[in-house]
Structures are given as structure tokens and as C-alpha cells.
């Protein structure tokens, strides 16, 4: 009787340990993935460096995609690409050469290549 109950306790505790480990693993995988994503977002935001819009590849204060006021100014001038919803003079999709023009501003100020823009990332993957 004594032996039987000890064995039962051992089996139960072993099962509990396996269950706990299995449970812990299934809980931890999505958690660490979420952490990684949060870190990536934080890093991406850090890329802004205050003045540069790394998402769109031009100075933040001139970004017609981020600032509605800037967008309104371009629209008022008739400088607008309705297809891509940004200033025509900033539409890298219509004129890829414009990207170089803005990249040159970044290079002059930071002494390095600008970070990849939102548009670059999906096409390179
Ligand atoms: Zn922007
Ligand atoms: Zn366009």
C-alpha cells in the first residue's frame, strides 16, 4: 500500500512536470515572438533620428505621407500624385530618381546611406 502510493505520487509529479514544461513552452513561443516584434517596431521608430522619415525616405518635415499639413501644401500647388497619395515631387514610385535626390540630402547630413524605405522592403524579400 505504501509502495503503491509512492509510485502514484511519482507518476503524478512526473506527469505534472511534463505538463508544466509542455505548457510553458506553448506559452512562451508566441510571447517571445511578440517581444521580438515589439523590439523591431521600437528599432524602426529609432531609425527616424528626429528629422528623417525612414519609412518614406525623405526629411520628416517634408514628408507628404506623414504630415497632413505638408500634404495640403503640395496639393494646393498642384504637386500631387493621386495614384500613390503623396506629392508628385516625392513620388519615388513614379520617378525613382527622386529617391536619390532625397538620399543625397541624408548622405550629406549623416555621412551614410539612408535606411531602407517602406517601399524597398517588400520588393527585396
Ligand atoms: Zn513619412
Ligand atoms: Zn506616383
Amino acid at each position: 500500500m505504501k509502495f503503491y502510493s509512492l509510485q502514484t505520487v511519482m507518476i503524478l509529479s512526473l506527469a505534472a512536470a511534463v505538463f508544466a514544461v509542455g505548457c510553458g513552452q506553448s506559452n512562451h513561443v508566441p510571447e517571445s515572438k511578440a517581444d521580438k516584434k515589439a523590439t523591431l517596431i521600437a528599432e524602426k521608430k529609432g531609425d527616424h533620428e528626429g528629422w528623417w522619415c525612414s519609412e518614406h525616405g525623405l526629411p520628416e518635415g517634408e514628408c507628404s505621407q506623414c504630415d497632413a499639413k505638408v500634404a495640403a501644401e503640395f496639393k494646393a500647388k498642384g504637386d500631387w500624385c493621386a495614384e500613390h497619395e503623396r506629392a508628385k515631387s516625392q513620388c519615388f514610385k513614379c520617378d525613382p530618381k527622386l529617391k536619390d535626390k532625397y538620399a543625397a540630402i541624408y548622405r550629406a547630413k549623416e555621412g551614410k546611406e539612408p535606411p531602407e524605405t517602406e517601399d524597398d522592403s517588400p520588393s527585396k524579400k
Side-chain angles (χ1 to χ4, degrees):
M1 191 65 186
K2 210 179 175 185
F3 177 72
Y4 176 74
S5 62
L6 183 68
Q7 204 177 33
T8 308
V9 167
M10 277 177 76
I11 288 166
L12 279 178
S13 57
L14 192 72
V18 169
F19 181 76
V21 169
C23 204
Q25 274 175 346
S26 63
N27 273 346
H28 270 104
V29 170
E31 209 175 280
S32 63
K33 259 188 191 170
D35 283 351
K36 226 177 195 180
K37 206 176 175 188
T39 312
L40 279 175
I41 290 167
E43 276 172 6
K44 209 173 179 186
K45 277 189 178 159
D47 280 351
H48 264 241
E49 291 172 26
W51 71 280
W52 184 258
C53 176
S54 57
E55 278 163 74
H56 305 123
L58 48 101
E60 190 72 64
E62 294 174 40
C63 185
S64 57
Q65 290 173 84
C66 287
D67 194 327
K69 243 197 276 176
V70 175
E73 279 167 30
F74 279 110
K75 275 182 187 170
K77 281 189 279 181
D79 182 357
W80 193 252
C81 175
E83 199 189 332
H84 301 118
E85 293 195 319
R86 64 196 71 178
K88 190 90 195 169
S89 62
Q90 291 176 353
C91 190
F92 305 154
K93 291 190 180 187
C94 287
D95 189 353
K97 268 183 268 168
L98 292 169
K99 194 174 177 176
D100 283 341
K101 196 185 105 181
Y102 284 105
I105 298 172
Y106 186 94
R107 272 187 228 117
K109 194 165 165 139
E110 302 287 333
K112 60 182 178 183
E113 287 297 313
E116 273 192 5
T117 62
E118 221 177 34
D119 294 340
D120 289 336
S121 310
S123 59
K124 279 193 175 176
K125 267 174 197 169

